[in-house]
Amino acid sequence: MIDYKLHIPGPVNVSPEAYQAMTSPVMGHRSSDFVDLYNQCQPLLQTLFQTSDPVFISTSSAWGAMEGAVRNLTHSKTLCCTCGAFSDKWLDVALRCGKNADALQADWGSHIDPMILDSRLATGEYDLVTLVHNETSCGMMNPLEEIMQVLKKYPNVISVIDTVSSFSAVPIPKDEWGIDVLLTGSQKALALPPGLALLSVSERAFERAEKIEGRGYYFDFLEFRKNHEKGMTPSTPVIPLIHGLLHTLQSIFEEGVENRHTRHAELNSQVHRWIEQKGFELLPEKKFASKTLSCVRNNLELDVAGFVKALREEKKISIDGGYGKIKGKTFRISNMGNETVDSIGHLLNQMDEILPRFLPAG
Ligand SMILES: *Cc1c(COP(=O)(O)O)cnc(C)c1O
């Protein structure tokens, strides 16, 4: 039995109410009961995505939709904006799918520079861009609005934006900014268990997909659209999670979307104040720091592994000791999902109590 609270940047804590909603009995996925459930979710999803495009529910983790986007939409060549573990991996995934793809590479923790993107797209080589909005591995949030302004200059370039760890926590107006494919997963900013990906696809992107061969079946955007029109998914979906999704969407609108954004910003500042007080630094430039998690640079020679372990064992709280090649050089604290001033305050107090033991003496 898990007896600790999650403050890792995904999966995050799921509320008892969301778990409760998932105990609703399953029904046939071609039944009118399922269609009702799907059709209850849809307008709420469209409102939250700020789009009039359909929002598909995929039974997969986010990677399914990320791989699917590349398979559905790469015609000539994809430009993958890489600046951390997830965005690096997306390039690898595109290549593994046999697509032509290049990197627009920034260092881990740095943002994607809209001007550099502009000059790469001006070559005319690319017809698809992949971008991770919030690079969870580095706690860095890309300047999405500015990036989308650049993309507006290139009507033949389709954009796919991963908002797995930022969706619903900060404003991302899909249609207004001209995002073609906006995708997210269930277990991070939405605070549901893992297993669902959500993706909204523009008309332009469907037109592209129609011309692409080898889209496969499971993530075929046109297959999703055909079923969506009937209030269904292409294959049997993870129905309990969709009950959980409906509950979560309703609770987001009960809180108020703007209030949710404000709450995330405030909790994030609360963590940032702690980081500064202790003498730590953030990995990214402050201006590009994520609002949903903090990636702390280990400038104080903290024994990160020891600290993380003691926090879990003694204080029953789990934070992350750094991702991939920056393990130990950084650690990450999540404030996404259902956290409150009190729950973050508790986390910071508990960290305070054990921190000195893991800092170098003197
Ligand atoms: C976690 C994460 C993913 C991958 O999600 P899965 O659910 O493991 O497929 C992709 N992108 C970002 C930014 C993430 O944080």
Side-chain angles (χ1 to χ4, degrees):
M1 193 61 184
I2 301 294
D3 66 346
Y4 49 83
K5 188 164 178 246
L6 297 173
H7 276 282
I8 57 173
V12 304
N13 304 296
V14 176
S15 72
E17 294 78 16
Y19 278 128
Q20 183 60 38
M22 290 187 291
T23 63
S24 299
V26 294
M27 67 282 256
H29 67 296
R30 302 297 180 214
S31 69
S32 60
D33 291 324
F34 180 78
V35 172
D36 281 350
L37 175 62
Y38 190 98
N39 288 339
Q40 276 186 76
C41 290
Q42 192 54 215
L44 300 178
L45 283 171
Q46 285 179 314
T47 306
L48 199 55
F49 274 74
Q50 295 186 252
T51 188
S52 55
D53 294 325
V55 183
F56 301 141
I57 300 175
S58 168
T59 295
S60 66
S61 79
W63 274 117
M66 292 163 78
E67 176 166 330
V70 169
R71 292 189 62 183
N72 275 267
L73 301 172
T74 307
H75 187 60
S76 53
K77 203 178 204 184
T78 293
L79 184 62
C80 297
C81 300
T82 63
C83 52
F86 292 101
S87 46
D88 283 5
K89 177 98 184 164
W90 212 349
L91 170 65
D92 177 44
V93 168
L95 296 172
R96 288 191 201 198
C97 290
K99 302 299 180 186
N100 281 325
D102 290 338
L104 186 171
Q105 200 171 354
D107 292 337
W108 279 36
S110 298
H111 67 286
I112 298 298
D113 184 333
M115 277 168 40
I116 296 176
L117 177 64
D118 198 355
S119 62
R120 289 294 290 273
L121 293 180
T123 62
E125 267 185 83
Y126 304 102
D127 58 7
L128 185 70
V129 166
T130 68
L131 177 87
V132 171
H133 174 222
N134 191 50
E135 194 27 282
T136 319
S137 60
C138 304
M140 189 282 303
M141 202 170 257
N142 272 306
L144 185 55
E145 187 172 9
E146 288 78 4
I147 287 171
M148 291 315 302
Q149 272 162 10
V150 168
L151 275 151
K152 275 192 178 152
K153 290 170 59 183
Y154 301 94
N156 297 324
V157 180
I158 302 274
S159 54
V160 187
I161 312 297
D162 163 339
T163 62
V164 174
S165 59
S166 53
F167 181 74
S168 84
V170 297
I172 308 170
K174 176 182 176 293
D175 288 359
E176 188 189 320
W177 288 358
I179 298 168
D180 288 296
V181 179
L182 183 61
L183 65 90
T184 191
S186 50
Q187 80 277 21
K188 294 192 187 161
L190 285 173
L192 279 163
L196 273 189
L198 302 168
L199 66 159
S200 181
V201 178
S202 72
E203 200 46 51
R204 257 159 42 106
F206 287 122
E207 283 164 21
R208 168 73 62 81
E210 278 161 9
K211 293 187 217 122
I212 307 283
E213 283 177 33
R215 298 189 305 273
Y217 166 69
Y218 197 76
F219 296 110
D220 179 2
F221 286 180
L222 304 181
E223 202 62 56
F224 268 106
R225 182 168 62 176
K226 206 170 76 192
N227 283 277
H228 168 85
E229 282 158 8
K230 297 181 283 187
M232 293 179 194
T233 54
S235 54
T236 318
V238 61
I239 294 169
L241 270 173
I242 302 177
H243 284 296
L245 174 66
L246 178 60
H247 164 83
T248 297
L249 292 167
Q250 288 165 340
S251 72
I252 288 173
F253 288 107
E254 229 164 83
E255 178 182 14
V257 177
E258 271 179 46
N259 292 340
R260 185 178 175 84
H261 297 161
T262 309
R263 177 168 59 81
H264 277 87
E266 286 174 358
L267 299 181
N268 188 247
S269 306
Q270 197 181 346
V271 178
H272 284 190
R273 283 195 297 276
W274 181 88
I275 291 166
E276 275 165 36
Q277 272 166 18
K278 300 295 147 188
F280 284 114
E281 291 160 7
L282 289 168
L283 178 70
E285 251 180 89
K286 183 110 196 185
K287 186 174 162 205
F288 300 107
S290 166
K291 299 274 184 234
T292 58
L293 74 139
S294 305
C295 184
V296 185
R297 188 195 292 275
N298 184 10
N299 55 306
L300 299 181
E301 290 175 54
L302 175 72
D303 167 10
V304 170
F307 178 63
V308 168
K309 185 165 183 277
L311 195 65
R312 192 180 61 240
E313 287 174 1
E314 297 170 31
K315 302 298 187 183
K316 309 293 178 198
I317 293 174
S318 179
I319 63 165
D320 174 83
Y323 195 107
K325 68 184 183 192
I326 52 174
K327 193 181 171 93
K329 295 181 184 146
T330 55
F331 57 98
R332 298 180 302 161
I333 302 166
S334 165
N335 62 273
M336 67 182 96
N338 302 315
E339 300 308 324
T340 62
V341 171
D342 285 348
S343 72
I344 295 291
H346 176 72
L347 160 73
L348 302 177
N349 283 335
Q350 298 300 296
M351 291 201 298
D352 269 346
E353 284 186 15
I354 63 166
L355 185 71
R357 276 163 44 204
F358 299 94
L359 287 170

